[in-house]
Amino acid sequence: MLRKNCIITTMIICICFLGLTSCEKKPFDIRFDAEEINFGTVVGGTTVNAVFQFKNMGTETIEIKVVRPTCGCIAAGDWDATTKPGEIGRIPVDYNTEAFEGEVSKITFIDTNITGRESIALVLKGNVFNPVQIFTKTCWLGKIEDENKPVHGSYNIKYNLKTPLEVEDIILPDDKTTARMVTVVPLKEYRLDFTVNPPFKKYEVTVGKIILKVGGEVNRSFDLEFSYLVPAPIQVNPRHVKLDMEKLKREPIERRINIKSNIEDPIEILDLKFDGTGVIYTTTALREHLFLQIPLIFPKGFTFPEDKKIFYLTFRVKNDPLALLYKIKIE
């Protein structure tokens, strides 16, 4: 009887011990309401606002160091950087569905101070339905080789409704641009063709915008951008040179200035000057009359004077229609 009572007593002690052990809290214990959120089906262009909520079940403060979306379509909101034991933490994210169609799954990683869960993947998934899907809303028309000829571009459009596509308006950026809708496959595929006519803006990238207004069940406007470049007659690159002064202590450094001609007349470098000393610079022709280089060799130990932290290399180009003085900043 005594032995039996001892066994029972031992079992009770063990059970109590195990119960106490199981009730002990971990230093770090994070419990999410859900590490994967399904937002269902939304219309393309909708911004999905989701919040990943968690509770700190441990005894130490949880730190969310970084929130790292894996797609530019996801933007992290103001998350709770620290969450004390027993408190609720929130990690809001916004998902822009503009460029997506069909089933999607987007992952956002969070970096924490939790041993064993230093990186946690949070998943946002669902279905995006686009009544009108424009595969790319930007059109690069390239470099304008002949400034007297118009250039053409187009936007491909997929239509996912059974009712006719209703185009209410096409708003153009100026009177030099024309556009028209083309039916490729009725009720399925369309194309918006446009033409930009001269004169063109010169020597810079020009950006224009076409607004496509679709009515009916869609009832939405789409901003479509296009861009082109009329290159300068003389292109100089780079215009700014930054030196690694630590490297110069150990070895010389060479930098090259490239001069490209977009004119028919032969070019050459004129009035080449460097407003400092100790630097070797010359002119090299890589393709006769079309492409020149100015190598700059900074010798080992080259330093800037105390009163001068910036130097300039200046020159002109023969037959340059703009007759510019080119100025290269060196620091």
Side-chain angles (χ1 to χ4, degrees), residues 234-249:
I234 305 297
Q235 293 177 270
V236 177
N237 184 59
R239 297 293 187 96
H240 182 195
V241 173
K242 193 169 181 64
L243 298 175
D244 184 341
M245 303 309 294
E246 288 299 318
K247 185 177 179 180
L248 265 174
K249 293 178 182 178

Side-chain angles (χ1 to χ4, degrees), residues 18-254:
L18 290 172
L20 288 171
T21 301
S22 64
C23 292
E24 287 183 1
K25 287 189 175 182
K26 300 176 183 178
F28 292 104
D29 188 359
I30 187 170
R31 304 283 177 87
F32 279 89
D33 292 351
E35 294 185 21
E36 181 179 292
I37 295 178
N38 191 320
F39 57 80
T41 299
V42 298
V43 175
T46 302
T47 298
V48 176
N49 307 116
V51 178
F52 291 92
Q53 187 167 288
F54 63 89
K55 185 173 183 179
N56 184 349
M57 305 294 290
T59 60
E60 299 291 333
T61 298
I62 289 176
E63 296 178 12
I64 306 298
K65 301 176 181 178
V66 180
V67 177
R68 297 183 287 113
T70 58
C71 175
C73 57
I74 298 281
D78 293 329
W79 69 87
D80 293 324
T82 59
T83 304
K84 295 180 180 179
E87 292 185 347
I88 302 296
R90 301 168 73 258
I91 303 171
V93 295
D94 296 332
Y95 167 41
N96 184 354
T97 64
E98 181 74 29
F100 298 90
E101 170 76 12
E103 292 185 0
V104 295
S105 180
K106 300 298 176 183
I107 299 175
T108 298
F109 289 101
I110 63 170
D111 293 347
T112 77
N113 66 332
I114 303 172
T115 303
R117 300 204 73 186
E118 290 84 358
S119 180
I120 300 174
L122 304 176
V123 180
L124 191 62
K125 63 189 299 185
N127 186 66
V128 179
F129 172 71
N130 276 302
V132 172
Q133 185 180 9
I134 303 177
F135 293 97
T136 175
K137 296 183 176 66
T138 59
C139 182
W140 169 244
L141 301 176
K143 292 183 180 180
I144 306 299
E145 302 295 340
D146 189 336
E147 297 181 34
N148 298 312
K149 291 184 179 180
V151 291
H152 310 280
S154 62
Y155 304 94
N156 295 315
I157 302 170
K158 181 182 177 183
Y159 187 59
N160 296 313
L161 297 177
K162 294 182 179 180
T163 55
L165 176 66
E166 298 181 26
V167 177
E168 289 187 345
D169 198 3
I170 301 174
I171 302 175
L172 304 173
D174 50 47
D175 55 6
K176 296 187 299 180
T177 308
T178 60
R180 68 188 184 101
M181 288 291 294
V182 177
T183 300
V184 180
V185 179
L187 295 179
K188 290 186 178 181
E189 294 180 24
Y190 298 84
R191 192 178 68 242
L192 176 61
D193 292 340
F194 68 96
T195 299
V196 182
N197 296 285
F200 302 104
K201 291 183 180 180
K202 296 185 177 182
Y203 317 140
E204 61 182 25
V205 174
T206 300
V207 178
K209 182 170 73 173
I210 298 173
I211 301 175
L212 173 64
K213 290 189 173 183
V214 180
E217 293 183 49
V218 179
N219 192 29
R220 184 179 167 198
S221 295
F222 299 88
D223 291 345
L224 310 175
E225 287 191 350
F226 64 85
S227 56
Y228 62 83
L229 170 66
V230 176
I234 305 297
Q235 293 177 270
V236 177
N237 184 59
R239 297 293 187 96
H240 182 195
V241 173
K242 193 169 181 64
L243 298 175
D244 184 341
M245 303 309 294
E246 288 299 318
K247 185 177 179 180
L248 265 174
K249 293 178 182 178
R250 304 186 302 271
E251 58 186 272
I253 291 179
E254 180 177 340

